[in-house]
């Protein structure tokens, strides 16, 4: 251990800079980089630029990984899309009533000049099966979406929950078919 100029005890390896060394280095505090007017594009990106990312001022070459958190926007948008799921059915109509227990993250990353969308969400979709004429609830249940992610969102896994309100025996087959149609439409809407 050794004593510093202000009397503190410190590690042997601690090195303080002299006033002369400090004057040579100058102000080393981080400073925000702003895009200069000469490096800013003069026109909007063309359609041939589709899929290319827009980098920040410090990453003009686009070679450094750059990521922006978009979780809140994606969560809101995913919930809205699930609630807007529309199923064309004649006698019975499935209606998404709630999206619960949504967890996960989403971001947009730019690397090597390419924009990548990264997301991983999990949720439960509650639904009612209603009579198309009277709007009476025939059955209700839930679907669990355990893995909505960017690596394989085209193969969305949907787990069927049990019926919360079981359909009567006369509506059992139609309600089951209606739920199957809902699963198909949920897969398409995500």
């Amino acid at each position: 251990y050794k004593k510093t100029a202000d009397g503190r005890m410190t590690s042997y390896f601690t090195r303080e800079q002299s006033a002369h060394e400090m004057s040579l280095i100058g102000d080393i505090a981080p400073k925000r980089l702003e895009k200069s007017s000469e490096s800013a594009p003069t026109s909007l990106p063309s359609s041939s630029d589709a899929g290319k990312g827009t980098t920040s001022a410090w990453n003009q070459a686009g070679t450094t990984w750059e990521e922006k958190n978009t979780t809140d926007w994606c969560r809101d948008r995913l919930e809205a899309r699930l609630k807007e799921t529309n199923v064309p059915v004649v006698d019975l109509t499935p209606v998404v009533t709630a999206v619960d227990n949504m967890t996960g993250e989403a971001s947009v990353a730019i690397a090597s000049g390419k924009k990548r969308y990264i997301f991983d969400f999990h949720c439960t979709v509650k639904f009612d099966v209603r009579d198309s004429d009277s709007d009476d609830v025939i059955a209700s249940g839930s679907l669990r979406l355990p893995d909505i992610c960017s690596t394989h969102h085209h193969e969305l896994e949907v787990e069927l929950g049990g019926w919360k309100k079981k359909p009567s025996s006369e509506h059992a087959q139609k309600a089951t078919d209606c739920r199957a149609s809902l699963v198909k439409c949920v897969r398409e809407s995500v």
Side-chain angles (χ1 to χ4, degrees), residues 68-84:
K68 180 180 179 187
N69 185 354
T70 57
T71 300
D72 293 336
W73 181 86
C74 288
R75 182 176 287 131
D76 293 343
R77 198 62 206 119
L78 178 59
E79 184 173 344
R81 285 190 67 132
L82 288 170
K83 285 182 176 178
E84 292 167 357

Side-chain angles (χ1 to χ4, degrees), residues 77-123:
R77 198 62 206 119
L78 178 59
E79 184 173 344
R81 285 190 67 132
L82 288 170
K83 285 182 176 178
E84 292 167 357
T85 301
N86 190 6
V87 183
V89 179
V90 179
D91 297 335
L92 301 178
T93 306
V95 177
V96 174
T97 57
V99 179
D100 291 339
N101 305 324
M102 186 176 294
T103 58
E105 300 177 332
S107 62
V108 175
I110 299 173
S112 302
K114 294 181 184 174
K115 192 180 282 190
R116 293 176 174 86
Y117 301 98
I118 304 166
F119 56 90
D120 185 19
F121 285 102
H122 321 283
C123 67

Side-chain angles (χ1 to χ4, degrees), residues 129-149:
V129 176
R130 298 183 180 179
D131 186 310
S132 298
D133 297 328
S134 65
D135 206 35
D136 293 336
V137 176
I138 304 298
S140 62
S142 63
L143 305 173
R144 190 166 165 269
L145 307 176
D147 197 20
I148 306 168
C149 71

Side-chain angles (χ1 to χ4, degrees), residues 106-190:
S107 62
V108 175
I110 299 173
S112 302
K114 294 181 184 174
K115 192 180 282 190
R116 293 176 174 86
Y117 301 98
I118 304 166
F119 56 90
D120 185 19
F121 285 102
H122 321 283
C123 67
T124 302
V125 176
K126 294 185 178 180
F127 67 93
D128 289 341
V129 176
R130 298 183 180 179
D131 186 310
S132 298
D133 297 328
S134 65
D135 206 35
D136 293 336
V137 176
I138 304 298
S140 62
S142 63
L143 305 173
R144 190 166 165 269
L145 307 176
D147 197 20
I148 306 168
C149 71
S150 53
T151 57
H152 57 277
H153 68 278
H154 299 294
E155 303 166 4
L156 182 65
E157 179 182 352
V158 179
E159 296 175 358
L160 301 176
W163 291 107
K164 184 176 179 184
K165 178 182 178 186
K166 196 169 185 175
S168 65
S169 58
E170 72 177 275
H171 292 110
Q173 186 58 47
K174 286 184 180 181
T176 302
D177 294 343
C178 193
R179 179 175 62 179
S181 297
L182 177 64
V183 168
K184 181 182 177 197
C185 290
V186 163
R187 282 189 171 120
E188 291 170 2
S189 67
V190 172

